[in-house]
Amino acid sequence: MATPQATIARVQAGPAEERRAVVRAARTVFAREGWTHSTIEAIAAEAGLEQAMVEHYFKDKEQLLLSVLLDSAASVAAALTVVAEDHLGQVTDLERDLTALGRAWLTPLTAFPEHFAIVRHIGAEVTRLPAGVLEMWQTAGPRQAQRELARRLALIADAGLLDIADADHAAGRFIQLVAGQVVQRSFHGALPLADFETDALIADGVADFVRLFSPASVR
């Protein structure tokens, strides 16, 4: 049951902030409990609201999960867009700049811990998730980030530093080769790797990427 203080804060904040509070609470509960074991009651308690108020904004747990995933995935994608712009805006040393990009590409693992906790739960509960949730999450998050990276890699290719026929494919390969091993071995940041291991995986991935996409004249 909501406390008097929570009720007063809710009235003062208004419906938009109240809805955001529900999404924040749901993110916390989904990160802690996963999809299967989370309940609207627990989310309401986390938000300091009556259950009926949560249900006023979200008709069921499925709608809440989708809202949480789309919101946090979009935040991660926006952060990675900035990372790509910051590190590939002006390339002066290809391997060095791609290595710095690789390190920065992994920062959301620690900057958005609840999001990646939910991602870990998704991996275990994928067969139980509501239809369509995975596709919408992938579109709003990972695919959007890959598209932004592809746009930057295409500009580097236009400058003659890379030989890329399909920028989206190249961006996917970069993510797979440079960040994928770290993400996989750390279980999406749950068990962070030692710095030397992370650096070695990134360096190997960048070297493989450059070999794949170097212009023929420099191979």
Side-chain angles (χ1 to χ4, degrees):
M1 180 177 293
T3 64
Q5 292 83 358
T7 302
I8 292 170
R10 173 175 62 81
V11 172
Q12 292 175 337
E17 178 54 37
E18 186 175 77
R19 190 181 190 281
R20 285 192 289 269
V22 172
V23 172
R24 287 194 297 269
R27 183 182 299 114
T28 297
V29 174
F30 285 136
R32 185 176 66 234
E33 305 292 342
W35 159 256
T36 304
H37 298 292
S38 295
T39 65
I40 295 293
E41 182 181 7
I43 292 166
E46 182 72 29
L49 298 171
E50 299 286 351
Q51 184 172 334
M53 189 55 63
V54 174
E55 292 168 341
H56 170 72
Y57 292 108
F58 299 94
K59 65 178 182 179
D60 53 29
K61 191 171 70 167
E62 176 180 335
Q63 194 179 73
L64 254 174
L65 176 65
L66 182 59
S67 182
V68 166
L69 272 178
L70 294 182
D71 179 72
S72 61
S75 295
V76 173
L80 290 174
T81 296
V82 173
V83 164
E85 290 173 349
D86 286 348
H87 290 83
L88 298 182
Q90 184 175 3
V91 174
T92 55
D93 182 307
L94 183 63
E95 288 206 37
R96 185 193 65 197
D97 291 337
L98 289 176
T99 298
L101 171 65
R103 292 194 187 97
W105 198 264
L106 293 164
T107 56
L109 290 176
T110 53
F112 300 92
E114 288 185 329
H115 173 76
F116 289 101
I118 294 172
V119 171
R120 291 191 293 273
H121 282 297
I122 285 174
E125 300 178 309
V126 64
T127 59
R128 302 190 187 108
L129 293 177
V133 166
L134 286 178
E135 180 65 22
M136 284 185 275
W137 159 51
Q138 289 286 312
T139 298
R143 289 175 192 158
Q144 176 62 23
Q146 183 169 316
R147 281 193 294 269
E148 291 299 327
L149 177 58
R151 188 168 62 86
R152 288 291 172 179
L153 291 176
L155 294 175
I156 295 174
D158 290 344
L161 297 176
L162 292 171
D163 182 8
I164 293 176
D166 183 336
D168 191 66
H169 169 72
R173 293 293 284 166
F174 179 87
I175 294 168
Q176 179 186 36
L177 290 169
V178 179
Q181 284 293 307
V182 177
V183 170
Q184 182 180 15
R185 293 192 190 187
S186 69
F187 296 91
H188 286 90
L191 300 173
L193 305 181
D195 288 345
F196 76 88
E197 187 174 1
T198 297
D199 289 345
L201 290 170
I202 291 172
D204 287 347
V206 167
D208 289 342
F209 179 82
V210 170
R211 277 194 295 271
L212 278 173
F213 295 102
S214 285
S217 59
V218 298
R219 290 179 186 173

